[in-house]
Amino acid sequence: MAFIDTIKERARADKKTIVLPESMDKRTYEAAVKIRDEGIANLIIIGTPEEIAKHGAGFDLSGITIVNPLDDPNQQKYIDKFVELRGAKGVTPESAKAKMLEDYMHYACLMCKCGDADGAVSGACHSTGNTILPALQLLRTKPGISSVSGFFLMEVPDCELGEGGLFVFADCAVNPNLNSESLAEIAGLSAESFEAFVGKKAKVAMLSFSTMGSAKHPDVDKVANAVKIARERFPGIDVDGELQLDAALVGKVAELKAPDSPVAGQANTLVFPSLEAGNIGYKLVQRLAKAGAYGPVLQGLSMPVNDLSRGCYADDIVGVVAMTAVQAQAQK
């Protein structure tokens, strides 16, 4: 069974309510029908009757909750919550209402914050910033976590490395400026994500162009320091580095380069030293190894919100909704 089929099965076992705020995109409706028919999640689509009629024409939306933000009986509750959360930043009831009606992602996050939904998925026709910023402002990060990062769950066919070809790659989507503290935080969150999705113990490799001091450079020091911080902040995870990629994955190389490492040669969770390295790395594996790349999945938020590629297909939305539902299960 493919990884995403396992995730869908888990989502079906404990259905969560996921909001899709992009009622202005046909792919939302195509995906929603599949999600409903496969029993993956309970869905809410935010949209006016005009938006639903224009973009959802031809789709049977029975069994899917449609919330018209113009006459939603919960609208005032969401306005009040918005002001409670952002009043110190100058948000008034009037500006809160205007923002909610102008950008449905704000509406979706408030639904989650007020307990009317378990997660949200957006980004098919909006930027990553349009997805993440409302979530940061209204849902905020988990206690003790300073920032949001993004990972891909990689499924490499015919591969014995990692966990039978399954890996978490991070950060591949969000943070362009990483220091030792942020790398350590990503290591802890990525270990948690790997274990939540795969159900196996994470073995986290902090990647570099150096293995255990084989090269001297400030970029190497950054990763080595991140390992020390990660071990202090997240004592329950197996993390080591700095490690070159071959030392992280291949047992024979690990025996030569890092013989005493508890992670080298068996890593399944790869933390890249920069966003560009992570982004290039996952795309290389996806294209050259024909790997499944599920994500980017966001981690670090107090409730699950996930981003889509603007070039996504409806099936991609289905998969991300399933992963969001599983994240919601873990948080509950």
Side-chain angles (χ1 to χ4, degrees), residues 100-318:
M100 289 161 50
L101 298 181
E102 170 193 324
D103 180 357
Y104 293 166
M105 189 58 191
H106 285 81
Y107 212 104
C109 288
L110 289 161
M111 296 180 90
C112 293
K113 189 70 175 180
C114 291
D116 296 328
D118 300 302
V121 172
S122 184
C125 55
H126 292 86
S127 70
T128 294
N130 287 129
T131 298
I132 294 179
L133 185 59
L136 281 173
Q137 292 178 340
L138 300 173
L139 298 176
R140 301 175 181 171
T141 56
K142 293 179 180 179
I145 299 299
S146 63
S147 63
V148 176
S149 54
F151 70 89
F152 280 82
L153 199 302
M154 305 297 296
E155 184 178 27
V156 184
D158 304 318
C159 178
E160 296 180 356
L161 303 178
E163 190 61 45
L166 291 175
F167 301 86
V168 157
F169 284 17
D171 181 357
C172 302
V174 179
N175 291 304
N177 299 307
L178 296 173
N179 56 29
S180 296
E181 289 74 16
S182 55
L183 282 172
E185 192 165 89
I186 290 168
L189 290 170
S190 297
E192 180 182 291
S193 295
F194 182 89
E195 292 173 5
F197 281 110
V198 181
K200 300 290 185 179
K201 179 69 174 175
K203 292 189 175 293
V204 185
M206 307 291 278
L207 298 180
S208 176
F209 59 86
S210 168
T211 294
M212 302 303 185
S214 65
K216 306 298 181 185
H217 191 275
D219 287 346
V220 175
D221 296 338
K222 177 181 74 172
V223 177
N225 290 334
V227 174
K228 296 176 184 177
I229 296 168
R231 286 173 174 165
E232 292 172 0
R233 284 193 60 186
F234 309 100
I237 70 171
D238 291 341
V239 57
D240 207 5
E242 80 285 0
L243 292 168
Q244 291 166 290
L245 182 65
D246 55 354
L249 297 180
V250 182
K252 290 184 178 180
V253 177
E255 290 173 6
L256 294 172
K257 293 186 174 184
D260 299 321
S261 172
V263 168
Q266 49 189 324
N268 51 32
T269 302
L270 306 182
V271 175
F272 291 82
S274 68
L275 180 62
E276 61 185 354
N279 191 269
I280 292 166
Y282 100 79
K283 288 181 178 178
L284 273 172
V285 174
Q286 180 186 31
R287 300 302 179 182
L288 298 186
K290 296 182 172 57
Y294 304 104
V297 181
L298 301 181
Q299 54 186 5
L301 289 166
S302 65
M303 295 184 73
V305 169
N306 282 311
D307 187 28
L308 296 162
S309 165
R310 277 175 281 181
C312 70
Y313 296 100
D315 283 341
D316 297 321
I317 301 175
V318 174

